[in-house]
Amino acid sequence: MPCPLMMPLVRGELVGLIWVRPLKVGQDALAGIAELANVAAAASADEVVLAWETHDVATACELPIVGPAPCVNMVLATCDGHVLHLFPSTEQLLSRSPEDWASVALDWRPAPAPQPGGELVPPIQAAVNFSFTPIDLDHPDPFGVTVVLMEEDGYRISLTEAFAR
């Protein structure tokens, strides 16, 4: 699973994909994940989708693991609330390289029912909250400058054609 990823939407149209920058364990990870919201806020998104893996975010942010793990999580959020979807799995070790890289196969377990208002870990909750907080940037192109600054900080951003600079 790739590191935390955000997909902001404006009037049902996908703005693009934003992958979190390289993170240091602890406070930097908390901030880095929350900052995913900058592009959504700059685009005046009315909906966001975030995806992350339970164990990865808990480890990076030094948080306890809550819920199933391994588990891919997805939250669909608007300014009025969110729905959390959990996709638990088990991992089967396939092989290990001489450099100690593991190759695993995921076996998807039954997904629980979507959870309206489901509890989100702090950095994900912050990203949801900040996504709908207007950015007050004194610049002729606040969206474009936000994208450039985030890319300079190491975030990987792939905009759709409608939102490309």
Side-chain angles (χ1 to χ4, degrees), residues 123-146:
I124 300 297
Q125 183 67 64
V128 166
N129 294 347
F130 296 147
S131 291
F132 306 110
T133 303
I135 287 186
D136 185 20
L137 208 66
D138 185 21
H139 191 277
D141 181 14
F143 176 73
V145 76
T146 298

Side-chain angles (χ1 to χ4, degrees), residues 37-80:
N38 291 345
V39 170
S44 299
D46 45 33
E47 193 173 8
V48 294
V49 177
L50 278 89
W52 71 98
E53 199 285 322
T54 298
H55 189 265
D56 290 350
V57 168
T59 300
C61 297
E62 298 177 315
L63 298 169
I65 292 176
V66 177
C71 183
V72 173
N73 306 275
M74 185 180 78
V75 65
L76 173 59
T78 66
C79 62
D80 297 324

Side-chain angles (χ1 to χ4, degrees), residues 7 11 14 17 23 39 46 49 56 61 66 73 82 85 97 111-112 117 120 144 147 149:
M7 296 160 270
R11 292 179 297 286
L14 180 66
L17 306 173
L23 303 171
V39 170
D46 45 33
V49 177
D56 290 350
C61 297
V66 177
N73 306 275
H82 68 269
H85 300 265
S97 73
L120 303 175
V147 169
L149 291 172

Side-chain angles (χ1 to χ4, degrees), residues 4 20-36 57 59-62 123 153 155:
V20 78
R21 64 177 166 71
L23 303 171
K24 294 182 183 119
V25 172
Q27 288 298 316
D28 181 65
L30 292 163
I33 293 168
E35 289 167 2
L36 284 168
V57 168
T59 300
C61 297
E62 298 177 315
D153 282 346
Y155 290 87

Side-chain angles (χ1 to χ4, degrees), residues 2-6 17-21 36 154-158:
C3 46
L5 162 72
M6 179 179 273
L17 306 173
I18 302 95
W19 289 269
V20 78
R21 64 177 166 71
L36 284 168
Y155 290 87
R156 193 162 51 105
I157 300 173
S158 177

